[in-house]
């Protein structure tokens, strides 16, 4: 199987879906809350809900299967039920409002995407403050995935917690696929990794980051002239090809320093640097501190 740069990036940023809440409300109701800097999602399994959130130009009207992705921090207000009714304030954490699969009621599921520091930087920049993903406008089976999540949350089945984690992970992948499939992506890694013409060159850099890739070789892999390739790559990725290669190397280096025991010298050699000193200089320029200090800070921060 050929390399999949998108999967490599998702592994690198340690994408992990976490289901944190869910509730069912009947009649006219209103609920308020806050979302932090992590990526939060609110998915409507049943009913119809109006959601107002900081960062949104106007209230979002969610139908069954729709999802709002909130790239915080901020506050949100959700309303449901008859428009002419007097809404009662509900506490979504109250177990009396636990989610159930009930027609005629509004059932929402909530969670967030846990990311490492690299992921917060990459995904945080790639996503808008508020994204409304409509189930009816995509071929991705969002509503079917929500039905599976709701079933695992409400049924007391053997292994439900494990199943919930797997379904949630695939649900987040669905959301990313929908977002990245949209045409109006800004320059950056999401747009680059969905550009079919540039992907052959990206695969080379990802597969062999320690190779001293030349612009001519990468352009040939993409079946373009050197000038056309360099221009298109900068337009799509926001940086020149060899700058992207350096940043990819540094992302790999940060993961290795956080999680592995490899020496700085060995890591430098594996990433194509002629000396530990050359690698350390490049790392400091990109990350802001030398490799060993970064390793110590990263492990102290994670409790390792």
């Amino acid at each position: 199987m050929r390399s999949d740069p998108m999967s490599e990036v998702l592994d690198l940023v340690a994408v992990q879906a976490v289901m944190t809440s869910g509730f069912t409300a009947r009649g006219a109701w209103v609920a308020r809350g806050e979302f932090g800097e992590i990526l939060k999602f609110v998915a409507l399994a049943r009913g119809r809900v109006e959601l107002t959130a900081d960062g949104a130009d106007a209230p979002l009207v969610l139908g069954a299967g729709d999802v709002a992705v909130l790239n915080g921090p901020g506050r949100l207000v959700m309303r449901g039920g008859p428009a002419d009714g007097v809404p009662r304030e509900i506490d979504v954490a109250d177990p009396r409002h636990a989610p159930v699969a009930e027609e005629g009621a509004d059932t929402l599921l909530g969670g967030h995407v846990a990311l490492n520091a690299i992921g917060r930087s990459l995904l945080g920049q790639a996503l808008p403050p508020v994204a409304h993903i409509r189930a009816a406008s995509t071929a991705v089976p969002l509503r079917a995935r929500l039905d599976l999540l709701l079933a695992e949350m409400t049924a007391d089945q053997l292994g439900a917690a494990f199943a919930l984690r797997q379904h949630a992970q695939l649900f987040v992948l669905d959301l990313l696929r929908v977002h990245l499939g949209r045409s109006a992506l800004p320059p950056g890694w999401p747009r680059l990794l969905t550009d079919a013409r540039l992907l052959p060159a990206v695969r080379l850099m990802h597969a062999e980051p320690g190779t001293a890739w030349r612009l001519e070789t990468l352009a040939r892999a993409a079946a373009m002239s050197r000038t056309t390739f360099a221009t298109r790559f900068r337009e799509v990725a926001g940086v020149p090809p060899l700058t992207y290669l350096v940043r990819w190397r540094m992302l790999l280096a940060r993961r290795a320093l956080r999680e592995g025991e490899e020496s700085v010298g060995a890591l430098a050699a594996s990433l194509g640097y002629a000396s530990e000193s050359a690698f350390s200089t490049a790392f400091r320029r990109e990350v802001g501190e030398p490799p060993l200090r970064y390793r110590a800070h990263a492990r102290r921060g994670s409790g390792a």
Side-chain angles (χ1 to χ4, degrees), residues 281-302:
T281 299
F283 189 91
R284 182 196 287 268
R285 184 184 305 118
E286 183 70 22
V287 180
E289 59 183 345
L292 289 179
R293 185 179 300 168
Y294 173 84
R295 170 176 273 170
H297 288 167
R299 295 190 175 186
R300 189 181 306 125
S302 66

Side-chain angles (χ1 to χ4, degrees), residues 5-6 9 121-127 179-180 182-196 198-199 202 206 231-240 244 247-248 251:
M6 180 61 72
V9 170
S121 173
L122 291 179
L123 272 182
Q125 295 172 3
L127 296 173
H179 177 70
L180 298 180
R182 293 175 174 174
S183 58
L185 290 174
W189 71 267
R191 184 173 167 189
L192 174 64
L193 299 185
T194 56
D195 190 296
L198 294 175
L199 266 182
V202 175
H206 280 213
T231 301
R232 182 180 180 89
F233 199 102
R234 181 188 283 271
E235 289 175 350
V236 172
V239 295
Y244 177 84
R247 291 185 177 178
W248 177 246
L251 290 174

Side-chain angles (χ1 to χ4, degrees), residues 6 41 61 64 96 100 105 108 110 116 153 155 171 187 213 215 289 299:
M6 180 61 72
F41 55 86
V61 178
R96 290 176 298 177
V100 294
L108 291 97
N116 59 25
M153 292 182 76
F171 177 67
W213 293 109
L215 195 59
E289 59 183 345
R299 295 190 175 186

Side-chain angles (χ1 to χ4, degrees), residues 153-204:
M153 292 182 76
T154 57
D156 187 17
Q157 298 188 77
L158 186 66
F162 176 83
L164 187 61
R165 289 195 298 270
Q166 310 313 309
H167 289 314
Q169 200 79 345
L170 292 172
F171 177 67
V172 166
L173 177 60
D174 287 340
L175 296 181
L176 288 173
R177 282 174 170 169
V178 171
H179 177 70
L180 298 180
R182 293 175 174 174
S183 58
L185 290 174
W189 71 267
R191 184 173 167 189
L192 174 64
L193 299 185
T194 56
D195 190 296
R197 293 191 65 190
L198 294 175
L199 266 182
V202 175
R203 287 194 178 98
L204 287 180

Side-chain angles (χ1 to χ4, degrees), residues 89-109:
E89 193 100 17
I90 67 169
D91 178 3
V92 300
D94 189 328
R96 290 176 298 177
H97 301 301
V100 294
E102 177 184 324
E103 295 300 328
D106 300 314
T107 297
L108 291 97
L109 307 180

